[in-house]
Amino acid sequence: MMKRWILLCAALVLVQVGLTLWTHLGEQRSSRDTASEKVLDLQGARITGLLLEDGEGRSLELARDKERWILPGSGGFPADAARVQGLIDKLVGLQRGWPEATTAEAAARFKVATERFAHKLTLRQENGSETVVFFGTSPGLRKLYFRAEQDPEIHALAIAPHDLDTRADAWIDTAVLHLQPEQVARVQLPGVELVRTKEGLQPVGMREGEELIMEARDSLVNRLTHLSITSILGREERPEYGLNHPVLEYSLEFEDGSRRDYRFGKPSSPPQAEGSPAPDREESYVLKVSGPEQLLRVDGWQVEELKKVARSTLVREKAAVKDGTQSSGPVPADNTASADPTDPAPAVAPVLPVGQ
């Protein structure tokens, strides 16, 4: 009798071990299958548009235009392609892991439900299909819960609310006016004009005995070719923008024969950017530039630098030459005639050439 019980218990143990192994292996297979599955069926190269929406009813559209991204709602103004691509890269190829939750109640609580969300992103592909993703509350620093439409699983993603901003300012290409210095053939500023020579851009009318202050010239060219904007202000030239009485005007002519004119106005009050809830108190200028129809906002420090440029800041008198060396300052008067011939000759410090 005892032997029969022992055999029965051994059989039960073997069955239990077998069930445990089968369950464990099944979970491993399920985990591998889940880990290899994408959350979203997307191919980055085939995405042609994005529609960003927030829970307050605001929205922003981004569209691909050949090799660049634009803001259709702002007259096709160029968007920051690197930022757009960064958002797409966060979502394309995202692997499915264990969900945070799967219930409708949790979707509403985490604000990733169809009718209750913090952010909504629609990705449009070239075949006409759309993929919708809902983003909600944050489970931690720079993370948001998200859920794909028609999918009950809720996941967490390393993304910040700023990455889903619906303001046009947040997506503009702030470097849209940047140029390559070698593109510029002529600069016409108030009080000074520069033209391109074999030595680079040089002030017009250099006289004998003058020399170019190269550091100042290079700084000027850098500022002219790297003028950055902070926001777009629309197309309407409002009187308060000060463009009827510009504080600075200049033009750049390029090697291909084209020309760009710049006109800066000092607004009577800080200009309000498109979609901005309140004007920025930081000092800024309004820029009207030939080409883009949009008026642009530029931080004041950039304009102040250009307003200070004059011929005297770019050109100086060559240093005097004496005894085969250059003096970086005025040549001292010759007082040897009044010196006592019995006095020993004073020690004279050597004069270094300019630039040493």
Side-chain angles (χ1 to χ4, degrees):
M1 184 68 179
M2 182 64 67
K3 184 176 181 181
R4 184 182 302 171
W5 277 109
I6 292 173
L7 291 174
L8 181 60
C9 290
L12 288 174
V13 169
L14 289 173
V15 170
Q16 186 176 10
V17 171
L19 287 172
T20 301
L21 289 173
W22 181 83
T23 302
H24 180 67
L25 291 174
E27 287 179 350
Q28 283 189 326
R29 286 194 300 271
S30 176
S31 178
R32 285 195 298 269
D33 292 342
T34 298
S36 62
E37 182 184 351
K38 290 184 178 181
V39 178
L40 304 171
D41 185 17
L42 292 172
Q43 294 187 31
R46 296 184 177 180
I47 295 175
T48 59
L50 304 176
L51 177 62
L52 294 154
E53 301 173 75
D54 64 20
E56 304 299 322
R58 293 180 289 263
S59 64
L60 178 76
E61 184 179 1
L62 294 154
R64 189 191 294 274
D65 180 23
K66 297 179 181 178
E67 299 301 319
R68 62 175 188 158
W69 285 89
I70 62 171
L71 293 155
S74 297
F77 196 85
D80 185 343
R83 179 171 182 181
V84 177
Q85 192 61 49
L87 176 58
I88 293 173
D89 290 344
K90 284 180 182 289
L91 301 172
V92 174
L94 188 63
Q95 301 298 311
R96 189 181 298 274
W98 291 109
E100 303 285 339
T102 58
T103 66
E105 184 275 332
R109 186 172 71 253
F110 294 153
K111 298 184 71 172
V112 292
T114 303
E115 302 299 331
R116 177 178 166 80
F117 56 84
H119 304 276
K120 178 181 177 181
L121 173 62
T122 303
L123 302 103
R124 296 165 177 162
Q125 301 192 72
E126 59 186 13
N127 62 3
S129 64
E130 293 186 347
T131 299
V132 178
V133 186
F134 300 100
F135 295 88
T137 56
S138 174
L141 183 63
R142 292 189 62 82
K143 286 186 176 182
L144 293 177
Y145 288 118
F146 79 97
R147 181 184 69 85
E149 192 176 42
Q150 308 299 330
D151 188 342
E153 293 188 357
I154 301 170
H155 299 269
L157 177 65
I159 192 171
H162 174 71
D163 297 323
L164 303 165
D165 205 322
T166 56
R167 295 177 303 115
D169 273 4
W171 295 93
I172 60 171
D173 181 4
T174 59
V176 66
L177 298 181
H178 286 196
L179 301 162
Q180 294 297 324
E182 56 269 19
Q183 290 179 264
V184 181
R186 181 182 294 268
V187 178
Q188 292 180 308
L189 280 159
V192 64
E193 181 177 354
L194 295 87
V195 295
R196 181 164 296 282
T197 67
K198 290 185 295 184
E199 289 76 31
L201 288 167
Q202 302 281 325
V204 172
M206 292 278 289
R207 298 185 295 269
E208 187 177 353
E210 291 182 331
E211 66 179 357
L212 175 68
I213 306 175
M214 296 188 65
E215 298 85 354
R217 187 275 311 274
D218 292 345
S219 177
L220 171 60
V221 172
N222 181 69
R223 174 54 42 229
L224 291 170
T225 56
H226 289 82
L227 187 68
S228 296
I229 67 171
T230 56
S231 62
I232 51 181
L233 303 172
R235 303 180 182 183
E236 181 184 356
E237 290 192 30
R238 301 177 182 177
E240 61 267 28
Y241 287 167
L243 290 169
N244 291 332
H245 304 283
V247 297
L248 175 66
E249 291 182 276
Y250 66 86
S251 65
L252 303 179
E253 296 180 15
F254 306 109
E255 291 290 344
D256 63 3
S258 61
R259 172 186 171 117
R260 182 183 289 177
D261 298 314
Y262 299 75
R263 178 160 51 105
F264 295 87
K266 185 70 169 69
S268 55
S269 60
Q272 185 170 354
E274 286 191 348
S276 176
D280 195 331
R281 297 182 181 275
E282 183 181 347
E283 182 178 272
S284 61
Y285 289 83
V286 176
L287 168 61
K288 172 63 177 177
V289 60
S290 55
E293 296 182 4
Q294 290 277 354
L295 299 177
L296 310 171
R297 176 176 176 260
V298 178
D299 281 342
W301 64 270
Q302 299 180 95
V303 183
E304 293 300 326
E305 282 189 8
L306 294 172
K307 286 168 64 179
K308 295 175 183 177
V309 175
R311 193 176 191 279
S312 59
T313 64
L314 299 174
V315 178
R316 65 187 170 198
E317 297 293 329
K318 286 184 178 179
V321 178
K322 184 177 181 181
D323 297 332
T325 62
Q326 290 185 339
S327 172
S328 58
V331 179
D334 187 357
N335 296 321
T336 56
S338 59
D340 188 339
T342 62
D343 291 340
V348 180
V351 178
L352 297 175
V354 174
Q356 296 190 15

mmCIF file with all atom_site columns, all heavy atoms in Angstrom, residues 99-114:
data_model
loop_
_atom_site.group_PDB
_atom_site.id
_atom_site.type_symbol
_atom_site.label_atom_id
_atom_site.label_alt_id
_atom_site.label_comp_id
_atom_site.label_asym_id
_atom_site.label_entity_id
_atom_site.label_seq_id
_atom_site.pdbx_PDB_ins_code
_atom_site.Cartn_x
_atom_site.Cartn_y
_atom_site.Cartn_z
_atom_site.occupancy
_atom_site.B_iso_or_equiv
_atom_site.pdbx_formal_charge
_atom_site.auth_seq_id
_atom_site.auth_comp_id
_atom_site.auth_asym_id
_atom_site.auth_atom_id
_atom_site.pdbx_PDB_model_num
ATOM 1   N N   . PRO A 1 99  ? 2.722   45.718 -21.382 1.00 0.00 ? 99  PRO A N   1
ATOM 2   C CA  . PRO A 1 99  ? 1.929   46.948 -21.238 1.00 0.00 ? 99  PRO A CA  1
ATOM 3   C C   . PRO A 1 99  ? 1.788   47.380 -19.786 1.00 0.00 ? 99  PRO A C   1
ATOM 4   O O   . PRO A 1 99  ? 1.839   46.559 -18.871 1.00 0.00 ? 99  PRO A O   1
ATOM 5   C CB  . PRO A 1 99  ? 0.569   46.556 -21.835 1.00 0.00 ? 99  PRO A CB  1
ATOM 6   C CG  . PRO A 1 99  ? 0.480   45.079 -21.642 1.00 0.00 ? 99  PRO A CG  1
ATOM 7   C CD  . PRO A 1 99  ? 1.892   44.569 -21.786 1.00 0.00 ? 99  PRO A CD  1
ATOM 8   N N   . GLU A 1 100 ? 1.602   48.688 -19.601 1.00 0.00 ? 100 GLU A N   1
ATOM 9   C CA  . GLU A 1 100 ? 1.339   49.222 -18.275 1.00 0.00 ? 100 GLU A CA  1
ATOM 10  C C   . GLU A 1 100 ? -0.082  48.890 -17.841 1.00 0.00 ? 100 GLU A C   1
ATOM 11  O O   . GLU A 1 100 ? -0.355  48.694 -16.653 1.00 0.00 ? 100 GLU A O   1
ATOM 12  C CB  . GLU A 1 100 ? 1.537   50.742 -18.270 1.00 0.00 ? 100 GLU A CB  1
ATOM 13  C CG  . GLU A 1 100 ? 2.910   51.208 -18.721 1.00 0.00 ? 100 GLU A CG  1
ATOM 14  C CD  . GLU A 1 100 ? 3.965   50.971 -17.670 1.00 0.00 ? 100 GLU A CD  1
ATOM 15  O OE1 . GLU A 1 100 ? 3.608   50.833 -16.480 1.00 0.00 ? 100 GLU A OE1 1
ATOM 16  O OE2 . GLU A 1 100 ? 5.158   50.918 -18.028 1.00 0.00 ? 100 GLU A OE2 1
ATOM 17  N N   . ALA A 1 101 ? -0.995  48.871 -18.795 1.00 0.00 ? 101 ALA A N   1
ATOM 18  C CA  . ALA A 1 101 ? -2.400  48.553 -18.525 1.00 0.00 ? 101 ALA A CA  1
ATOM 19  C C   . ALA A 1 101 ? -3.078  48.248 -19.853 1.00 0.00 ? 101 ALA A C   1
ATOM 20  O O   . ALA A 1 101 ? -2.527  48.543 -20.930 1.00 0.00 ? 101 ALA A O   1
ATOM 21  C CB  . ALA A 1 101 ? -3.088  49.707 -17.814 1.00 0.00 ? 101 ALA A CB  1
ATOM 22  N N   . THR A 1 102 ? -4.286  47.695 -19.771 1.00 0.00 ? 102 THR A N   1
ATOM 23  C CA  . THR A 1 102 ? -4.993  47.332 -21.006 1.00 0.00 ? 102 THR A CA  1
ATOM 24  C C   . THR A 1 102 ? -6.484  47.656 -20.953 1.00 0.00 ? 102 THR A C   1
ATOM 25  O O   . THR A 1 102 ? -7.194  47.395 -21.916 1.00 0.00 ? 102 THR A O   1
ATOM 26  C CB  . THR A 1 102 ? -4.835  45.824 -21.291 1.00 0.00 ? 102 THR A CB  1
ATOM 27  O OG1 . THR A 1 102 ? -5.337  45.075 -20.169 1.00 0.00 ? 102 THR A OG1 1
ATOM 28  C CG2 . THR A 1 102 ? -3.372  45.459 -21.536 1.00 0.00 ? 102 THR A CG2 1
ATOM 29  N N   . THR A 1 103 ? -6.985  48.204 -19.871 1.00 0.00 ? 103 THR A N   1
ATOM 30  C CA  . THR A 1 103 ? -8.428  48.408 -19.728 1.00 0.00 ? 103 THR A CA  1
ATOM 31  C C   . THR A 1 103 ? -8.859  49.790 -20.190 1.00 0.00 ? 103 THR A C   1
ATOM 32  O O   . THR A 1 103 ? -8.060  50.734 -20.215 1.00 0.00 ? 103 THR A O   1
ATOM 33  C CB  . THR A 1 103 ? -8.854  48.221 -18.261 1.00 0.00 ? 103 THR A CB  1
ATOM 34  O OG1 . THR A 1 103 ? -8.266  49.269 -17.465 1.00 0.00 ? 103 THR A OG1 1
ATOM 35  C CG2 . THR A 1 103 ? -8.390  46.862 -17.737 1.00 0.00 ? 103 THR A CG2 1
ATOM 36  N N   . ALA A 1 104 ? -10.138 49.897 -20.518 1.00 0.00 ? 104 ALA A N   1
ATOM 37  C CA  . ALA A 1 104 ? -10.707 51.181 -20.918 1.00 0.00 ? 104 ALA A CA  1
ATOM 38  C C   . ALA A 1 104 ? -10.671 52.171 -19.761 1.00 0.00 ? 104 ALA A C   1
ATOM 39  O O   . ALA A 1 104 ? -10.472 53.377 -19.955 1.00 0.00 ? 104 ALA A O   1
ATOM 40  C CB  . ALA A 1 104 ? -12.140 50.984 -21.421 1.00 0.00 ? 104 ALA A CB  1
ATOM 41  N N   . GLU A 1 105 ? -10.863 51.666 -18.548 1.00 0.00 ? 105 GLU A N   1
ATOM 42  C CA  . GLU A 1 105 ? -10.816 52.534 -17.368 1.00 0.00 ? 105 GLU A CA  1
ATOM 43  C C   . GLU A 1 105 ? -9.427  53.136 -17.203 1.00 0.00 ? 105 GLU A C   1
ATOM 44  O O   . GLU A 1 105 ? -9.275  54.316 -16.889 1.00 0.00 ? 105 GLU A O   1
ATOM 45  C CB  . GLU A 1 105 ? -11.211 51.711 -16.131 1.00 0.00 ? 105 GLU A CB  1
ATOM 46  C CG  . GLU A 1 105 ? -11.304 52.512 -14.847 1.00 0.00 ? 105 GLU A CG  1
ATOM 47  C CD  . GLU A 1 105 ? -9.963  52.677 -14.138 1.00 0.00 ? 105 GLU A CD  1
ATOM 48  O OE1 . GLU A 1 105 ? -9.096  51.787 -14.312 1.00 0.00 ? 105 GLU A OE1 1
ATOM 49  O OE2 . GLU A 1 105 ? -9.790  53.697 -13.443 1.00 0.00 ? 105 GLU A OE2 1
ATOM 50  N N   . ALA A 1 106 ? -8.392  52.322 -17.435 1.00 0.00 ? 106 ALA A N   1
ATOM 51  C CA  . ALA A 1 106 ? -7.018  52.812 -17.334 1.00 0.00 ? 106 ALA A CA  1
ATOM 52  C C   . ALA A 1 106 ? -6.718  53.825 -18.441 1.00 0.00 ? 106 ALA A C   1
ATOM 53  O O   . ALA A 1 106 ? -6.014  54.821 -18.216 1.00 0.00 ? 106 ALA A O   1
ATOM 54  C CB  . ALA A 1 106 ? -6.043  51.646 -17.410 1.00 0.00 ? 106 ALA A CB  1
ATOM 55  N N   . ALA A 1 107 ? -7.239  53.613 -19.632 1.00 0.00 ? 107 ALA A N   1
ATOM 56  C CA  . ALA A 1 107 ? -7.028  54.546 -20.741 1.00 0.00 ? 107 ALA A CA  1
ATOM 57  C C   . ALA A 1 107 ? -7.576  55.922 -20.400 1.00 0.00 ? 107 ALA A C   1
ATOM 58  O O   . ALA A 1 107 ? -6.946  56.954 -20.684 1.00 0.00 ? 107 ALA A O   1
ATOM 59  C CB  . ALA A 1 107 ? -7.673  54.004 -22.008 1.00 0.00 ? 107 ALA A CB  1
ATOM 60  N N   . ALA A 1 108 ? -8.753  55.961 -19.778 1.00 0.00 ? 108 ALA A N   1
ATOM 61  C CA  . ALA A 1 108 ? -9.330  57.245 -19.372 1.00 0.00 ? 108 ALA A CA  1
ATOM 62  C C   . ALA A 1 108 ? -8.520  57.869 -18.243 1.00 0.00 ? 108 ALA A C   1
ATOM 63  O O   . ALA A 1 108 ? -8.282  59.085 -18.224 1.00 0.00 ? 108 ALA A O   1
ATOM 64  C CB  . ALA A 1 108 ? -10.779 57.046 -18.959 1.00 0.00 ? 108 ALA A CB  1
ATOM 65  N N   . ARG A 1 109 ? -8.064  57.034 -17.297 1.00 0.00 ? 109 ARG A N   1
ATOM 66  C CA  . ARG A 1 109 ? -7.299  57.553 -16.162 1.00 0.00 ? 109 ARG A CA  1
ATOM 67  C C   . ARG A 1 109 ? -5.949  58.096 -16.599 1.00 0.00 ? 109 ARG A C   1
ATOM 68  O O   . ARG A 1 109 ? -5.504  59.145 -16.115 1.00 0.00 ? 109 ARG A O   1
ATOM 69  C CB  . ARG A 1 109 ? -7.109  56.437 -15.120 1.00 0.00 ? 109 ARG A CB  1
ATOM 70  C CG  . ARG A 1 109 ? -6.450  56.919 -13.834 1.00 0.00 ? 109 ARG A CG  1
ATOM 71  C CD  . ARG A 1 109 ? -6.442  55.857 -12.757 1.00 0.00 ? 109 ARG A CD  1
ATOM 72  N NE  . ARG A 1 109 ? -5.518  54.768 -13.026 1.00 0.00 ? 109 ARG A NE  1
ATOM 73  C CZ  . ARG A 1 109 ? -5.860  53.550 -13.402 1.00 0.00 ? 109 ARG A CZ  1
ATOM 74  N NH1 . ARG A 1 109 ? -7.148  53.243 -13.561 1.00 0.00 ? 109 ARG A NH1 1
ATOM 75  N NH2 . ARG A 1 109 ? -4.954  52.613 -13.607 1.00 0.00 ? 109 ARG A NH2 1
ATOM 76  N N   . PHE A 1 110 ? -5.289  57.424 -17.541 1.00 0.00 ? 110 PHE A N   1
ATOM 77  C CA  . PHE A 1 110 ? -3.984  57.870 -18.040 1.00 0.00 ? 110 PHE A CA  1
ATOM 78  C C   . PHE A 1 110 ? -4.110  58.894 -19.171 1.00 0.00 ? 110 PHE A C   1
ATOM 79  O O   . PHE A 1 110 ? -3.109  59.325 -19.741 1.00 0.00 ? 110 PHE A O   1
ATOM 80  C CB  . PHE A 1 110 ? -3.167  56.668 -18.535 1.00 0.00 ? 110 PHE A CB  1
ATOM 81  C CG  . PHE A 1 110 ? -2.773  55.707 -17.451 1.00 0.00 ? 110 PHE A CG  1
ATOM 82  C CD1 . PHE A 1 110 ? -2.550  54.371 -17.734 1.00 0.00 ? 110 PHE A CD1 1
ATOM 83  C CD2 . PHE A 1 110 ? -2.605  56.134 -16.142 1.00 0.00 ? 110 PHE A CD2 1
ATOM 84  C CE1 . PHE A 1 110 ? -2.174  53.474 -16.744 1.00 0.00 ? 110 PHE A CE1 1
ATOM 85  C CE2 . PHE A 1 110 ? -2.233  55.255 -15.143 1.00 0.00 ? 110 PHE A CE2 1
ATOM 86  C CZ  . PHE A 1 110 ? -2.019  53.923 -15.441 1.00 0.00 ? 110 PHE A CZ  1
ATOM 87  N N   . LYS A 1 111 ? -5.321  59.255 -19.528 1.00 0.00 ? 111 LYS A N   1
ATOM 88  C CA  . LYS A 1 111 ? -5.612  60.247 -20.571 1.00 0.00 ? 111 LYS A CA  1
ATOM 89  C C   . LYS A 1 111 ? -5.055  59.830 -21.929 1.00 0.00 ? 111 LYS A C   1
ATOM 90  O O   . LYS A 1 111 ? -4.430  60.625 -22.639 1.00 0.00 ? 111 LYS A O   1
ATOM 91  C CB  . LYS A 1 111 ? -5.103  61.634 -20.167 1.00 0.00 ? 111 LYS A CB  1
ATOM 92  C CG  . LYS A 1 111 ? -5.763  62.176 -18.912 1.00 0.00 ? 111 LYS A CG  1
ATOM 93  C CD  . LYS A 1 111 ? -5.312  63.592 -18.596 1.00 0.00 ? 111 LYS A CD  1
ATOM 94  C CE  . LYS A 1 111 ? -5.886  64.590 -19.600 1.00 0.00 ? 111 LYS A CE  1
ATOM 95  N NZ  . LYS A 1 111 ? -5.624  65.978 -19.207 1.00 0.00 ? 111 LYS A NZ  1
ATOM 96  N N   . VAL A 1 112 ? -5.315  58.576 -22.305 1.00 0.00 ? 112 VAL A N   1
ATOM 97  C CA  . VAL A 1 112 ? -4.946  58.088 -23.636 1.00 0.00 ? 112 VAL A CA  1
ATOM 98  C C   . VAL A 1 112 ? -6.171  57.479 -24.318 1.00 0.00 ? 112 VAL A C   1
ATOM 99  O O   . VAL A 1 112 ? -6.044  56.668 -25.236 1.00 0.00 ? 112 VAL A O   1
ATOM 100 C CB  . VAL A 1 112 ? -3.796  57.048 -23.569 1.00 0.00 ? 112 VAL A CB  1
ATOM 101 C CG1 . VAL A 1 112 ? -2.498  57.703 -23.140 1.00 0.00 ? 112 VAL A CG1 1
ATOM 102 C CG2 . VAL A 1 112 ? -4.153  55.885 -22.634 1.00 0.00 ? 112 VAL A CG2 1
ATOM 103 N N   . ALA A 1 113 ? -7.357  57.887 -23.866 1.00 0.00 ? 113 ALA A N   1
ATOM 104 C CA  . ALA A 1 113 ? -8.593  57.393 -24.463 1.00 0.00 ? 113 ALA A CA  1
ATOM 105 C C   . ALA A 1 113 ? -8.930  58.196 -25.714 1.00 0.00 ? 113 ALA A C   1
ATOM 106 O O   . ALA A 1 113 ? -8.423  59.302 -25.915 1.00 0.00 ? 113 ALA A O   1
ATOM 107 C CB  . ALA A 1 113 ? -9.735  57.475 -23.458 1.00 0.00 ? 113 ALA A CB  1
ATOM 108 N N   . THR A 1 114 ? -9.789  57.655 -26.545 1.00 0.00 ? 114 THR A N   1
ATOM 109 C CA  . THR A 1 114 ? -10.146 58.297 -27.804 1.00 0.00 ? 114 THR A CA  1
ATOM 110 C C   . THR A 1 114 ? -10.742 59.684 -27.587 1.00 0.00 ? 114 THR A C   1
ATOM 111 O O   . THR A 1 114 ? -10.471 60.620 -28.345 1.00 0.00 ? 114 THR A O   1
ATOM 112 C CB  . THR A 1 114 ? -11.139 57.421 -28.585 1.00 0.00 ? 114 THR A CB  1
ATOM 113 O OG1 . THR A 1 114 ? -10.556 56.133 -28.782 1.00 0.00 ? 114 THR A OG1 1
ATOM 114 C CG2 . THR A 1 114 ? -11.474 58.040 -29.930 1.00 0.00 ? 114 THR A CG2 1
#
